[in-house]
């Protein structure tokens, strides 16, 4: 396997929790990591509508019910498991998934083979 960037311990993400990570140190979360229905998902922190970050403050990605990702710039709602926009200006578009793995020690690792600024090769 290629090199990877350590984000957090996988078990530290609670059900319905999403966190932002800044693996390149640019001062803005580039990666959204979340646990939804027991599964982990990683998305690029960019709304497909205007290519803006999804959060309005650190780790603010989920709606109050913790069952949808929200773009706080304009209120678009996304399914956490598919990244599909189900409401808003980008209806039918999807978030960009990011490759990841959990290593033998339980660390959530962002794979460097992602073809955007979160994992340049």
């Amino acid at each position: 396997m290629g090199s990877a960037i350590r984000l957090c311990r996988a078990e530290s993400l609670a059900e319905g929790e999403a966190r932002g990570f800044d693996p390149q140190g640019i001062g803005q979360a580039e990666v959204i990591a979340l646990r939804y229905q027991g599964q982990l998902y990683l998305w690029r922190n960019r709304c497909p509508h205007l290519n803006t970050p999804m959060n309005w403050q650190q780790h603010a990605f989920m709606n109050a019910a913790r069952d949808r990702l929200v773009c706080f710039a304009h209120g678009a709602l996304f399914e956490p498991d598919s990244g599909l926009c189900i409401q808003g200006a980008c209806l039918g578009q999807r978030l960009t998934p990011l490759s990841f793995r959990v290593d033998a020690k339980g660390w959530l690792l962002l794979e460097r083979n992602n073809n955007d600024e979160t994992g340049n090769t």
Side-chain angles (χ1 to χ4, degrees):
M1 297 209 166
S3 62
I5 300 168
R6 187 185 294 183
L7 299 178
C8 68
R9 302 281 300 175
E11 76 270 4
S12 72
L13 282 170
E15 180 64 32
E17 179 184 14
R19 279 195 235 152
F21 294 92
D22 180 12
Q24 300 297 317
I26 65 167
Q28 167 65 44
E30 302 170 78
V31 175
I32 303 167
L34 70 106
R35 184 177 300 277
Y36 179 71
Q37 295 183 344
Q39 298 296 313
L40 294 172
Y41 299 91
L42 259 62
W43 302 106
R44 183 173 178 249
N45 184 19
R46 292 285 173 195
C47 179
H49 177 223
L50 295 174
N51 199 35
T52 59
M54 301 267 292
N55 56 317
W56 63 279
Q57 70 179 21
Q58 186 178 17
H59 308 308
F61 296 101
M62 301 296 282
N63 64 357
R66 295 181 138 344
D67 64 351
R68 299 286 182 254
L69 288 160
V70 178
C71 176
F72 287 94
H74 52 283
L77 294 176
F78 298 85
E79 293 178 339
D81 54 351
S82 69
L84 178 67
C85 180
I86 57 169
Q87 178 180 314
C90 48
L91 186 65
Q93 294 180 320
R94 292 182 187 273
L95 299 174
T96 302
L98 299 174
S99 299
F100 70 94
R101 63 186 164 92
V102 176
D103 72 10
K105 295 182 180 180
W107 286 99
L108 178 61
L109 305 171
L110 173 67
E111 296 289 351
R112 288 190 184 262
N113 63 351
N114 291 295
N115 293 322
D116 64 16
E117 69 270 12
T118 61
N120 294 325
T121 55

